[in-house]
């Protein structure tokens, strides 16, 4: 009995490769998203810590002298972390759009491969 040979195997392989590349692109964007979310959480923890330190510093005066230089440094550190968090949030917003586009492109790569597979049988 003659064995069936799919003559368009290279086309199917190319479509499979393209689909894998798009899957990798989505996965890479997801890793970047997770990293930015971790950075935002770290900034939030740092901001909370700076605010707590500032409260302690201002409350430690007990009606006496307050270390204004230290308070200014604590406030500055808190502002630095807020700015860093804001930058990360902006990057994350752009990244979400890129993920949405990449996910939208994935079915476009899957559909031709699946159509080739169905026609082969």
């Amino acid at each position: 009995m003659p064995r069936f040979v799919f003559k368009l195997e290279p086309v199917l392989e190319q479509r499979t490769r393209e689909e894998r590349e798009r899957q990798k692109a989505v996965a890479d964007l997801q890793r970047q998203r997770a990293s930015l979310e971790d950075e935002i959480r770290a900034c939030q923890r740092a901001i909370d810590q700076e605010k707590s330190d500032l409260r302690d510093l201002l409350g430690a005066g007990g009606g006496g002298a307050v270390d204004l230089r230290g308070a200014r440094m604590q406030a500055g550190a808190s502002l630095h972390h807020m700015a860093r968090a804001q930058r990360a949030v902006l990057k994350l917003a752009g990244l979400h759009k890129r993920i949405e586009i990449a996910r939208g492109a994935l079915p476009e790569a899957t559909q031709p491969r699946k159509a080739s597979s169905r026609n082969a049988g």
Side-chain angles (χ1 to χ4, degrees), residues 71-86:
R72 186 175 49 233
M73 289 179 70
Q74 290 298 133
S78 182
L79 287 174
H80 169 75
H81 291 298
M82 281 189 230
R84 188 172 145 218
Q86 287 173 345

Side-chain angles (χ1 to χ4, degrees), residues 47-97:
I47 290 167
D48 292 343
Q49 184 61 47
E50 296 295 341
K51 285 182 179 181
S52 175
D53 292 348
L54 182 58
R55 268 191 304 275
D56 293 345
L57 185 65
L58 294 175
V66 174
D67 179 14
L68 292 179
R69 183 171 185 251
R72 186 175 49 233
M73 289 179 70
Q74 290 298 133
S78 182
L79 287 174
H80 169 75
H81 291 298
M82 281 189 230
R84 188 172 145 218
Q86 287 173 345
R87 282 191 303 272
V89 167
L90 289 174
K91 284 181 189 177
L92 186 60
L95 190 60
H96 276 288
K97 287 195 179 278

Side-chain angles (χ1 to χ4, degrees), residues 26-65:
V26 170
D28 183 49
L29 291 171
Q30 292 287 13
R31 278 190 295 278
Q32 290 177 31
R33 179 191 54 80
S35 176
L36 281 172
E37 288 174 349
D38 288 344
E39 181 179 347
I40 292 167
R41 278 190 288 277
C43 285
Q44 187 59 50
R45 283 190 301 273
I47 290 167
D48 292 343
Q49 184 61 47
E50 296 295 341
K51 285 182 179 181
S52 175
D53 292 348
L54 182 58
R55 268 191 304 275
D56 293 345
L57 185 65
L58 294 175

Side-chain angles (χ1 to χ4, degrees), residues 6 8-23 106-119:
F6 183 54
L8 297 176
E9 187 67 30
V11 173
L12 183 59
E13 288 174 4
Q14 173 60 31
R15 289 177 179 172
T16 302
R17 249 189 322 276
E18 184 177 329
E19 183 180 358
R20 271 194 228 114
E21 286 173 12
R22 290 189 186 187
Q23 288 171 342
L106 191 55
E108 294 171 10
T110 303
Q111 188 177 11
R113 180 192 52 82
K114 287 184 177 181
S116 295
S117 297
R118 271 184 258 139
N119 292 339

